[in-house]
Amino acid sequence: MGDYPQLEKVKEECAACKACELHKTRTKSVFSAGVPNSKIMLIGEAPGFNEDQQGEPFVGRAGQLLDKIFESVGLSRQKDVYICNTIKCRPPDNRDPLPEEKAACRRFLDAQLEILKPQIILLCGRVAVNSMMETKLGITKIRGQWFKGDFSWGEPQMMPIFHPSYLLRNQSREKGSPKWLMWQDIKEIKRAVDAL
Ligand code: URA
């Protein structure tokens, strides 16, 4: 993160944060992985067990699948993507983040967005969608569609996508299955990246 001293400062604040109860049970706060200077930002839900242990997002089974999905179109977290979560500390037993936890943590995500100004934002799963978009529609209805973000710093393209944990629970690759739909979505994402 050498080229982004502001972001480094926010990461340090995040590591010391005690704004919600989750700091009491965390091993490490989980700020980001991947490349800050990247066109794509992926926003997931919250750290799980492995992420809490290692201090890096998407390193467990879901993360390995996420890496494979990116690699299937020639993208990688080492080169092309900045990865973070809606909240930075693991909720006990991987429960959904509480509204007060999301509110307390929001400034970190807002800072990541404002400093990095990604051109493409992938909203990975229901929790990320609900944090970033005002919609009552479920992820199955809106995944794969582009929405225009409306931020003080710009109007990035935003796409809801399935969470890889959901894909791990739905193994079929048949036409119309969640995995097949994700394959369509990642191809569309690659097309959009190449068009930037
Ligand atoms: N699931 C998420 O949403 N984020 C992670 O970092 C790991 C699993």
Side-chain angles (χ1 to χ4, degrees), residues 30 42-52 56-63 83-87 124 127 163-165:
V30 177
L42 178 132
I43 304 175
E45 180 176 331
F49 175 82
N50 294 292
E51 291 76 21
D52 172 73
E56 188 175 327
F58 283 103
V59 289
R61 276 182 74 216
I83 299 176
C84 61
N85 281 310
T86 308
I87 67 163
C124 187
V127 170
H163 196 285
S165 302

Side-chain angles (χ1 to χ4, degrees), residues 101-112:
E101 293 161 356
K102 289 208 270 184
C105 207
R106 180 66 195 218
R107 74 179 187 95
F108 296 118
L109 179 58
D110 284 343
Q112 287 170 311

Side-chain angles (χ1 to χ4, degrees), residues 89-157:
C89 293
R90 182 190 182 208
D93 302 320
N94 299 341
R95 63 157 168 73
D96 276 4
L98 301 174
E100 58 267 31
E101 293 161 356
K102 289 208 270 184
C105 207
R106 180 66 195 218
R107 74 179 187 95
F108 296 118
L109 179 58
D110 284 343
Q112 287 170 311
L113 286 161
E114 191 162 346
I115 294 167
L116 297 176
K117 302 179 178 49
Q119 288 164 278
I120 291 181
I121 301 176
L122 304 178
L123 303 173
C124 187
R126 171 179 51 87
V127 170
V129 170
N130 291 342
S131 292
M132 301 299 294
M133 288 174 58
E134 284 189 21
T135 177
K136 294 223 165 359
L137 295 173
I139 184 112
T140 348
K141 289 254 160 27
I142 55 171
R143 54 130 280 281
Q145 297 176 42
W146 290 113
F147 296 85
K148 194 158 80 169
D150 181 14
F151 298 91
S152 56
W153 50 266
E155 296 184 335
Q157 304 179 68

